[in-house]
Short mmCIF file of all heavy atoms in Angstrom, two decimals:
data_model
loop_
_atom_site.label_atom_id
_atom_site.label_comp_id
_atom_site.label_asym_id
_atom_site.label_seq_id
_atom_site.Cartn_x
_atom_site.Cartn_y
_atom_site.Cartn_z
N LYS A 2 23.23 -3.21 9.58
CA LYS A 2 22.93 -4.62 9.73
C LYS A 2 21.70 -4.98 8.91
O LYS A 2 20.76 -4.21 8.83
CB LYS A 2 22.68 -4.88 11.22
CG LYS A 2 22.70 -6.34 11.56
CD LYS A 2 22.72 -6.59 13.06
CE LYS A 2 22.37 -8.06 13.26
NZ LYS A 2 22.45 -8.52 14.61
N SER A 3 21.72 -6.16 8.29
CA SER A 3 20.55 -6.65 7.55
C SER A 3 19.95 -7.82 8.31
O SER A 3 20.57 -8.36 9.23
CB SER A 3 20.97 -7.08 6.15
OG SER A 3 21.31 -5.95 5.37
N LEU A 4 18.76 -8.24 7.92
CA LEU A 4 18.17 -9.46 8.47
C LEU A 4 17.83 -10.39 7.30
O LEU A 4 16.86 -10.16 6.58
CB LEU A 4 16.91 -9.17 9.29
CG LEU A 4 16.21 -10.44 9.81
CD1 LEU A 4 17.09 -11.21 10.79
CD2 LEU A 4 14.87 -10.10 10.48
N ILE A 5 18.67 -11.41 7.11
CA ILE A 5 18.50 -12.33 6.00
C ILE A 5 18.00 -13.68 6.51
O ILE A 5 17.16 -14.33 5.90
CB ILE A 5 19.84 -12.50 5.23
CG1 ILE A 5 20.34 -11.12 4.76
CG2 ILE A 5 19.67 -13.46 4.06
CD1 ILE A 5 19.38 -10.34 3.90
N ASP A 6 18.56 -14.09 7.65
CA ASP A 6 18.23 -15.38 8.25
C ASP A 6 17.90 -15.09 9.71
O ASP A 6 18.55 -14.23 10.31
CB ASP A 6 19.49 -16.28 8.12
CG ASP A 6 19.26 -17.72 8.56
OD1 ASP A 6 18.83 -17.95 9.71
OD2 ASP A 6 19.52 -18.62 7.75
N ILE A 7 16.95 -15.80 10.28
CA ILE A 7 16.58 -15.54 11.68
C ILE A 7 17.80 -15.72 12.59
O ILE A 7 17.93 -15.08 13.63
CB ILE A 7 15.37 -16.41 12.12
CG1 ILE A 7 14.79 -15.92 13.45
CG2 ILE A 7 15.72 -17.89 12.20
CD1 ILE A 7 14.12 -14.59 13.41
N ARG A 8 18.75 -16.57 12.14
CA ARG A 8 19.95 -16.80 12.97
C ARG A 8 20.93 -15.63 12.92
O ARG A 8 21.95 -15.64 13.60
CB ARG A 8 20.61 -18.12 12.58
CG ARG A 8 19.78 -19.32 13.03
CD ARG A 8 20.31 -20.61 12.46
NE ARG A 8 20.15 -20.63 11.01
CZ ARG A 8 20.59 -21.60 10.22
NH1 ARG A 8 21.22 -22.62 10.74
NH2 ARG A 8 20.39 -21.55 8.92
N ASP A 9 20.62 -14.60 12.11
CA ASP A 9 21.42 -13.37 12.17
C ASP A 9 21.21 -12.65 13.50
O ASP A 9 21.98 -11.76 13.87
CB ASP A 9 21.03 -12.39 11.04
CG ASP A 9 21.35 -12.96 9.66
OD1 ASP A 9 22.13 -13.93 9.58
OD2 ASP A 9 20.78 -12.44 8.67
N LEU A 10 20.11 -12.98 14.17
CA LEU A 10 19.79 -12.33 15.45
C LEU A 10 20.16 -13.25 16.61
O LEU A 10 19.86 -14.45 16.56
CB LEU A 10 18.28 -12.02 15.54
CG LEU A 10 17.73 -11.04 14.51
CD1 LEU A 10 16.20 -11.05 14.55
CD2 LEU A 10 18.24 -9.62 14.79
N THR A 11 20.78 -12.69 17.64
CA THR A 11 21.04 -13.49 18.84
C THR A 11 19.73 -13.63 19.61
O THR A 11 18.76 -12.88 19.37
CB THR A 11 22.06 -12.79 19.76
OG1 THR A 11 21.47 -11.55 20.21
CG2 THR A 11 23.37 -12.50 19.03
N THR A 12 19.72 -14.57 20.55
CA THR A 12 18.53 -14.73 21.39
C THR A 12 18.25 -13.43 22.15
O THR A 12 17.10 -13.02 22.31
CB THR A 12 18.72 -15.91 22.35
OG1 THR A 12 19.13 -17.05 21.58
CG2 THR A 12 17.44 -16.25 23.09
N GLY A 13 19.31 -12.76 22.58
CA GLY A 13 19.15 -11.48 23.28
C GLY A 13 18.52 -10.42 22.38
O GLY A 13 17.66 -9.65 22.82
N GLU A 14 18.94 -10.39 21.12
CA GLU A 14 18.36 -9.41 20.19
C GLU A 14 16.88 -9.71 19.92
O GLU A 14 16.06 -8.80 19.78
CB GLU A 14 19.15 -9.40 18.88
CG GLU A 14 20.51 -8.73 19.01
CD GLU A 14 21.34 -8.82 17.73
OE1 GLU A 14 21.40 -9.92 17.13
OE2 GLU A 14 21.94 -7.81 17.35
N ILE A 15 16.55 -11.00 19.85
CA ILE A 15 15.14 -11.36 19.66
C ILE A 15 14.33 -10.90 20.87
O ILE A 15 13.25 -10.31 20.73
CB ILE A 15 15.00 -12.88 19.39
CG1 ILE A 15 15.52 -13.20 17.99
CG2 ILE A 15 13.53 -13.33 19.54
CD1 ILE A 15 15.48 -14.65 17.58
N ASP A 16 14.87 -11.12 22.06
CA ASP A 16 14.19 -10.65 23.28
C ASP A 16 13.95 -9.14 23.24
O ASP A 16 12.88 -8.66 23.59
CB ASP A 16 15.04 -10.96 24.52
CG ASP A 16 14.97 -12.43 24.89
OD1 ASP A 16 14.12 -13.14 24.33
OD2 ASP A 16 15.78 -12.86 25.74
N GLU A 17 14.99 -8.42 22.80
CA GLU A 17 14.87 -6.95 22.71
C GLU A 17 13.74 -6.56 21.75
O GLU A 17 12.97 -5.65 22.03
CB GLU A 17 16.15 -6.39 22.10
CG GLU A 17 17.14 -5.76 23.02
CD GLU A 17 18.40 -5.44 22.21
OE1 GLU A 17 18.30 -4.74 21.17
OE2 GLU A 17 19.48 -5.94 22.60
N LEU A 18 13.69 -7.24 20.59
CA LEU A 18 12.64 -6.92 19.60
C LEU A 18 11.26 -7.19 20.17
O LEU A 18 10.32 -6.41 19.98
CB LEU A 18 12.85 -7.74 18.32
CG LEU A 18 14.02 -7.33 17.44
CD1 LEU A 18 14.24 -8.35 16.33
CD2 LEU A 18 13.77 -5.94 16.84
N LEU A 19 11.13 -8.31 20.90
CA LEU A 19 9.83 -8.65 21.48
C LEU A 19 9.45 -7.61 22.54
O LEU A 19 8.30 -7.17 22.61
CB LEU A 19 9.88 -10.05 22.10
CG LEU A 19 10.09 -11.20 21.10
CD1 LEU A 19 10.36 -12.51 21.82
CD2 LEU A 19 8.89 -11.36 20.18
N THR A 20 10.43 -7.19 23.34
CA THR A 20 10.16 -6.18 24.38
C THR A 20 9.71 -4.87 23.73
O THR A 20 8.75 -4.24 24.17
CB THR A 20 11.44 -5.95 25.22
OG1 THR A 20 11.83 -7.21 25.77
CG2 THR A 20 11.20 -4.97 26.34
N THR A 21 10.41 -4.48 22.65
CA THR A 21 10.00 -3.25 21.95
C THR A 21 8.59 -3.39 21.39
O THR A 21 7.76 -2.49 21.53
CB THR A 21 10.98 -2.92 20.80
OG1 THR A 21 12.30 -2.87 21.33
CG2 THR A 21 10.64 -1.59 20.14
N ALA A 22 8.31 -4.55 20.77
CA ALA A 22 6.97 -4.74 20.17
C ALA A 22 5.89 -4.65 21.25
O ALA A 22 4.84 -4.02 21.04
CB ALA A 22 6.90 -6.09 19.45
N LEU A 23 6.15 -5.24 22.41
CA LEU A 23 5.14 -5.19 23.49
C LEU A 23 4.97 -3.76 23.99
O LEU A 23 3.86 -3.33 24.33
CB LEU A 23 5.56 -6.13 24.63
CG LEU A 23 5.54 -7.63 24.26
CD1 LEU A 23 6.21 -8.47 25.36
CD2 LEU A 23 4.11 -8.12 24.02
N ASP A 24 6.06 -2.99 23.99
CA ASP A 24 5.96 -1.59 24.41
C ASP A 24 5.19 -0.77 23.38
O ASP A 24 4.42 0.13 23.74
CB ASP A 24 7.37 -1.02 24.64
CG ASP A 24 7.31 0.27 25.44
OD1 ASP A 24 6.75 0.26 26.55
OD2 ASP A 24 7.79 1.31 24.93
N ILE A 25 5.40 -1.10 22.09
CA ILE A 25 4.65 -0.40 21.03
C ILE A 25 3.15 -0.68 21.20
O ILE A 25 2.31 0.22 21.07
CB ILE A 25 5.13 -0.85 19.63
CG1 ILE A 25 6.56 -0.39 19.37
CG2 ILE A 25 4.19 -0.33 18.54
CD1 ILE A 25 7.22 -0.99 18.13
N ILE A 26 2.82 -1.94 21.49
CA ILE A 26 1.41 -2.30 21.68
C ILE A 26 0.81 -1.51 22.85
O ILE A 26 -0.31 -1.01 22.77
CB ILE A 26 1.29 -3.83 21.91
CG1 ILE A 26 1.68 -4.59 20.64
CG2 ILE A 26 -0.13 -4.21 22.36
CD1 ILE A 26 1.89 -6.09 20.83
N ALA A 27 1.60 -1.35 23.91
CA ALA A 27 1.10 -0.65 25.11
C ALA A 27 1.06 0.86 24.92
O ALA A 27 0.18 1.54 25.45
CB ALA A 27 1.98 -1.02 26.31
N HIS A 28 2.04 1.42 24.16
CA HIS A 28 2.16 2.89 24.04
C HIS A 28 2.41 3.30 22.60
O HIS A 28 3.47 3.86 22.29
CB HIS A 28 3.34 3.39 24.89
CG HIS A 28 3.34 2.90 26.29
ND1 HIS A 28 2.48 3.38 27.26
CD2 HIS A 28 4.11 1.97 26.91
CE1 HIS A 28 2.72 2.77 28.40
NE2 HIS A 28 3.69 1.89 28.22
N PRO A 29 1.46 3.06 21.70
CA PRO A 29 1.72 3.35 20.28
C PRO A 29 2.07 4.82 20.03
O PRO A 29 2.87 5.13 19.15
CB PRO A 29 0.39 2.97 19.59
CG PRO A 29 -0.62 2.81 20.67
CD PRO A 29 0.12 2.53 21.93
#
Side-chain angles (χ1 to χ4, degrees):
K2 194 169 166 175
S3 290
L4 176 64
I5 304 303
D6 187 303
I7 193 69
R8 288 171 294 176
D9 295 344
L10 297 169
T11 64
T12 308
E14 286 176 315
I15 288 179
D16 284 349
E17 258 173 54
L18 288 171
L19 295 170
T20 303
T21 306
L23 293 169
D24 196 56
I25 293 170
I26 293 167
H28 310 286

